[in-house]
């Protein structure tokens, strides 16, 4: 008997993985290939040249879906005690610190002889298009299954005995290849966008080094620059100290170190307090982390915008308030700023105090108009990078939507009259 609440989809069938096209199949990984294990390749065996190789941590730190080249190498001698991989092998991270790491998979599509280190689970598929599997095995349909297989606490492990049961959706071979071709085209577009962003960021970094040190000057400005403390231009305001009993589900938002990510404010893991006695951040304040367990995080900062002005900031944070922050915010991105941070760090506590911060010294143009000109040029470069990053975010969202549709069979591809030629898989 058919459930009256069930919606029947024409030309689709109901499976354990949901509704799929009638000609698609659901198979376990054990049905489509043979499993084996990587071995060997300690960190100290990696060499600048030699045989291409991959270690398990590189699967989730360096590669995404598939790769034709491997960045690491081992010597001929070390390769003798490792596991050889060839075109079409699917490589799973067998260990990881989080469930997101565990079971991450990459398809090896390189023609060169290569080797896989320990804690890598290898699937050698028989007749499935490997690039398609590289996409599918990193899709939430598959990742939800691998998350259930993770064993362990601080370090999570996954084994071939569990992966063998993982279910995949398999379109006919021509459709597998067409889906992989479409998604890889998007990958190339994403890679080009990322390269463009990296180039623009590098250009801005070089521009800052020249403009903020006076090595190049704009026409019409000739006055000498002078070494000055930033305390000459503004003041430091310390953050709010609050007790656990002050924390509430609603109230005043407190900005902390974790809210600053890559120079921008991110709002997750937020803290709110019921304390109304605090110094609020103001528009154009520079919010700075002045104390942290990690020395590398001390000094990270962001410029406060109008929409966030008025909230509180925590005791491990300070703001620098100055009419010259439009210029200073760019100085605070440079290596010169990092040198001032390290020079003033406490001997036993990872922190800088207000007095230290006010004494940071930099070369400054004495003409306010020159400072404003430099700031406007660098801010324009920032806006160009932000636009490129928004375009990247849109491309990533579009690709996720495309993957969702294609890999579940909700969006069908058009094939040539007699099908698509399949690149030969290894046998």
């Amino acid at each position: 008997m058919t459930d009256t609440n069930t919606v029947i989809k024409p030309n689709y069938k109901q499976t354990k993985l949901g509704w799929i096209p009638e000609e698609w199949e659901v198979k376990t990984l054990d049905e489509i290939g043979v499993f084996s294990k990587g071995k060997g390749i300690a960190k100290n065996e990696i060499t600048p040249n030699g045989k291409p190789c991959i270690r398990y941590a590189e699967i989730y730190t360096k590669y995404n879906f598939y790769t034709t080249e491997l960045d690491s190498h081992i010597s001929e001698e070390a390769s003798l005690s490792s596991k050889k991989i060839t075109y079409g092998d699917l490589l799973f991270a067998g260990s990881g610190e989080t469930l997101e790491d565990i079971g991450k998979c990459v398809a090896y599509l390189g023609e060169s002889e290569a080797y896989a280190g320990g804690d890598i689970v290898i699937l050698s598929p028989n007749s499935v298009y490997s690039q398609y599997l590289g996409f599918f095995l990193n899709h939430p349909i598959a990742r939800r299954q691998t998350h259930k297989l993770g064993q362990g606490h601080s370090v999570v492990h996954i084994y071939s005995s569990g992966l063998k049961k993982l279910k995949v959706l398999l379109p006919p071979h021509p459709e597998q290849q067409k889906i992989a071709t479409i998604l890889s085209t998007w990958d190339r577009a994403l890679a080009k966008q990322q390269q463009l962003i990296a180039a623009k960021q590098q250009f801005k970094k070089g521009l800052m080094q020249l403009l903020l040190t006076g090595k190049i000057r704009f026409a019409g400005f000739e006055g000498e620059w002078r070494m000055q403390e930033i305390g000459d231009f503004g003041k430091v305001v310390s953050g709010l100290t609050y007790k656990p009993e002050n924390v509430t589900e609603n109230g005043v938002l407190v900005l902390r170190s974790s809210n600053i990510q890559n120079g921008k404010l991110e709002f997750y893991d937020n803290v709110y307090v019921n304390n109304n006695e605090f110094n609020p951040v103001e528009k154009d304040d520079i919010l700075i982390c002045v104390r942290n367990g990690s020395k590398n995080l001390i000094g990270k900062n962001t410029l406060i915008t109008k929409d966030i002005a008025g909230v509180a900031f925590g005791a491990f944070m300070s703001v620098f308030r100055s009419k010259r922050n439009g210029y200073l915010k760019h100085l605070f991105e440079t290596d010169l700023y990092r040198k001032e941070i390290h020079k003033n760090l406490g001997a036993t506590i990872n922190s800088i105090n207000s007095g230290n911060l006010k004494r940071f010294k930099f070369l400054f143009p004495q003409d306010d108009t020159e400072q404003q000109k430099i700031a406007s040029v660098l801010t324009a470069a920032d806006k160009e990078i932000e636009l490129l990053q928004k375009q990247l975010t849109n491309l990533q969202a579009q690709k996720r939507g495309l993957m969702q549709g294609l890999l579940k069979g909700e969006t069908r591809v058009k094939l040539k009259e007699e099908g698509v030629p399949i690149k030969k898989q290894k046998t």
Side-chain angles (χ1 to χ4, degrees):
M1 180 182 293
T2 302
D3 188 337
T4 56
N5 293 321
T6 300
V7 178
I8 305 299
K9 299 179 70 173
N11 303 317
Y12 280 73
K13 60 186 177 184
Q14 179 71 282
T15 70
K16 290 183 178 180
L17 295 182
W19 288 91
I20 65 173
E22 286 181 344
E23 62 271 33
W24 285 32
E25 297 179 286
V26 177
K27 288 192 175 183
T28 63
L29 293 185
D30 194 34
E31 295 178 284
I32 64 173
V34 177
F35 280 93
S36 57
K37 292 174 62 178
K39 61 180 180 179
I41 313 184
K43 188 175 181 180
N44 60 10
E45 291 181 305
I46 300 297
T47 59
N49 301 295
K51 301 284 187 181
C53 71
I54 184 169
R55 301 176 72 236
Y56 79 91
E58 293 176 314
I59 292 176
Y60 50 80
T61 58
K62 287 189 176 182
Y63 304 107
N64 198 18
F65 305 129
Y66 62 92
T67 185
T68 57
E69 296 180 353
L70 299 176
D71 292 341
S72 299
H73 298 83
I74 52 174
S75 66
E76 181 82 36
E77 182 181 3
S79 71
L80 298 176
S81 58
S82 186
K83 170 68 177 177
K84 183 178 178 181
I85 55 173
T86 55
Y87 181 95
D89 280 339
L90 279 299
L91 312 172
F92 294 86
S95 296
E97 295 182 359
T98 70
L99 282 176
E100 288 304 312
D101 299 338
I102 196 70
K104 173 71 169 58
C105 174
V106 59
Y108 177 59
L109 304 179
E111 301 290 348
S112 302
E113 174 185 307
Y115 295 85
D119 275 342
I120 291 179
V121 181
I122 304 165
L123 171 65
S124 301
N126 297 324
S127 58
V128 179
Y129 196 66
S130 295
Q131 191 177 30
Y132 168 82
L133 276 183
F135 286 111
F136 185 87
L137 291 169
N138 289 292
H139 186 275
I141 300 173
R143 298 296 283 141
R144 282 193 291 268
Q145 297 178 67
T146 56
H147 288 172
K148 293 178 182 178
L149 298 173
Q151 300 178 24
H153 297 285
S154 58
V155 176
V156 188
H157 299 277
I158 199 167
Y159 303 99
S160 59
S161 56
L163 286 170
K164 286 180 179 180
K165 303 171 187 176
L166 192 148
K167 295 180 178 64
V168 295
L169 298 179
L170 293 179
H173 286 187
E175 195 167 357
Q176 289 178 36
Q177 182 172 347
K178 184 75 174 193
I179 289 171
T181 299
I182 291 170
L183 294 177
S184 61
T185 299
W186 278 83
D187 282 340
R188 287 192 293 272
L190 287 167
K192 286 181 180 178
Q193 188 73 7
Q194 289 165 336
Q195 289 167 3
L196 183 56
I197 291 170
K200 292 292 184 182
Q201 289 171 331
Q202 191 61 33
F203 172 77
K204 192 216 167 184
K205 184 177 180 180
L207 196 59
M208 286 194 301
Q209 290 173 343
L210 296 171
L211 291 177
L212 297 172
T213 58
K215 290 180 180 176
I216 61 171
R217 309 276 300 270
F218 292 109
F221 299 104
E222 298 178 352
E224 291 294 323
W225 287 31
R226 196 169 66 190
M227 188 69 74
Q228 288 181 269
E229 296 179 350
I230 64 170
D232 294 342
F233 307 115
K235 64 178 181 178
V236 177
V237 182
S238 298
L240 170 71
T241 299
Y242 57 89
K243 299 177 181 178
E245 54 264 33
N246 294 132
V247 177
T248 180
E249 290 185 4
N250 48 42
V252 178
L253 173 65
V254 181
L255 297 175
R256 301 175 299 152
S257 174
S258 59
N259 290 113
I260 302 178
Q261 301 292 330
N262 299 315
K264 304 291 183 184
L265 280 176
E266 299 286 347
F267 299 99
Y268 59 87
D269 190 28
N270 291 331
V271 166
Y272 299 87
V273 296
N274 57 13
N275 187 335
N276 290 319
E277 297 179 6
F278 62 90
N279 293 310
V281 293
E282 298 179 4
K283 180 180 178 296
D284 294 332
D285 280 348
I286 298 178
L287 178 68
I288 305 167
C289 172
V290 293
R291 183 169 178 173
N292 198 286
S294 170
K295 288 185 177 182
N296 291 331
L297 296 181
I298 296 172
K300 67 176 180 174
N301 61 87
T302 190
L303 190 72
I304 297 298
T305 55
K306 182 180 179 180
D307 57 318
I308 200 64
V311 305
F313 54 103
F316 288 4
M317 311 295 289
S318 290
V319 298
F320 188 74
R321 188 164 293 158
S322 167
K323 292 182 178 179
R324 304 198 183 200
N325 278 356
Y327 179 85
L328 284 170
K329 78 183 182 90
H330 297 293
L331 260 177
F332 284 8
E333 296 176 35
T334 64
D335 292 338
L336 295 171
Y337 171 73
R338 293 310 310 171
K339 287 178 182 177
E340 291 295 309
I341 294 288
H342 291 301
K343 192 165 62 178
N344 287 278
L345 279 176
T348 56
I349 300 176
N350 291 343
S351 66
I352 51 175
N353 60 40
S354 299
N356 297 143
L357 189 54
K358 286 189 291 187
R359 287 192 292 270
F360 283 12
K361 282 188 174 183
F362 303 100
L363 271 175
F364 284 94
Q366 298 307 295
D367 187 332
D368 288 351
T369 308
E370 186 172 9
Q371 285 193 28
Q372 292 166 8
K373 176 69 174 178
I374 292 170
S376 66
V377 169
L378 295 177
T379 298
D382 281 338
K383 288 181 178 178
E384 188 175 357
I385 292 169
E386 286 175 11
L387 177 60
L388 292 172
Q389 288 171 330
K390 285 180 182 177
Q391 291 171 347
L392 176 64
T393 299
N394 289 337
L395 284 171
Q396 290 169 331
Q398 290 166 14
K399 189 203 166 188
R400 283 194 299 271
L402 195 60
M403 284 183 68
Q404 176 72 8
L406 291 174
L407 296 175
K408 292 185 69 176
E410 296 169 352
T411 302
R412 303 302 300 275
V413 298
K414 292 182 179 180
L415 303 174
K416 292 181 181 178
E417 295 145 2
E418 299 300 325
V420 179
I422 300 298
K423 181 166 184 175
K424 185 179 178 181
Q425 295 286 294
K426 67 172 197 170
T427 59

